[in-house]
Amino acid sequence: NGAETNCFGIHNYLSTRVEADDNMCIGTQIDLFDICCYDRCRLCHDYQLDMEAVVVHHGTSMGCSEIENSVFALNQTAQGSKECLETHKEHFDECCYDIPCSLCTVGDKRHELLVSDPVTFQGRTRTCGEVSVLMEAEMSQSGTCKNTKH
């Protein structure tokens, strides 16, 4: 409408008044994505963030989740930036952990396992259920888990 605003104002307007699949929303995303959006630093990348862990960051005691959700967000710390890489190196071991491999989980989405469907795994015909049980012995970020899922 020609009014002057900022990225937050546009985000606020679109998220409260326009459906995600509306042409206005899609067009605005296409036009302003590179100006208004950035890939925020994630302390643990594909690992899990320990929400209870507390570390000393720049001389201040704070929770790992506070680094992730407040410090990185307020400072608009981008993935791959010097600050992100240094913080990752400093706090990864204290703040991040892996979980067992779940054959049917992709990102945050969990799918149903077709337990009795046959597959070839490690040169043998097995059921998806058998493969799933074998994968639970692996950690989610291991090469074996990632290769088996893809």
Side-chain angles (χ1 to χ4, degrees):
N1 67 6
E4 197 167 309
T5 188
N6 59 25
C7 292
F8 179 74
I10 294 167
H11 165 76
N12 197 32
Y13 177 82
L14 291 174
S15 65
T16 59
R17 293 181 179 87
V18 180
E19 295 294 324
D21 59 355
D22 184 281
N23 286 339
M24 178 187 213
C25 181
I26 294 168
T28 304
Q29 285 176 327
I30 291 168
D31 292 345
L32 298 178
F33 183 85
D34 290 336
I35 298 168
C36 290
C37 306
Y38 73 103
D39 187 11
R40 187 172 81 193
C41 182
R42 293 177 320 280
L43 184 59
C44 297
H45 302 284
D46 293 332
Y47 290 80
Q48 304 299 306
L49 179 67
D50 185 342
M51 303 297 271
E52 305 297 319
V54 176
V55 296
V56 176
H57 182 68
H58 296 301
T60 303
S61 181
M62 62 179 58
C64 296
S65 61
E66 190 176 359
I67 295 171
E68 176 99 1
N69 297 319
S70 296
V71 175
F72 288 162
L74 290 173
N75 296 326
Q76 295 182 347
T77 306
Q79 191 69 27
S81 68
K82 182 179 178 185
E83 174 72 13
C84 181
L85 295 171
E86 288 175 356
T87 304
H88 176 80
K89 184 177 178 182
E90 183 178 353
H91 298 303
F92 180 84
D93 290 339
E94 301 155 304
C95 291
C96 308
Y97 64 95
D98 203 354
I99 58 174
C101 182
S102 176
L103 188 61
C104 293
T105 300
V106 179
D108 292 335
K109 186 166 173 113
R110 187 175 178 93
H111 301 272
E112 293 299 317
L113 177 67
L114 299 169
V115 178
S116 56
D117 282 19
V119 293
T120 302
F121 180 71
Q122 296 178 336
R124 292 183 45 206
T125 300
R126 301 175 190 252
T127 66
C128 290
E130 291 171 324
V131 174
S132 180
V133 169
L134 290 170
M135 285 300 97
E136 289 174 1
E138 297 288 332
M139 298 309 279
S140 72
Q141 299 306 306
S142 72
T144 302
C145 179
K146 288 181 176 184
N147 290 335
T148 300
K149 291 168 87 168
H150 299 287

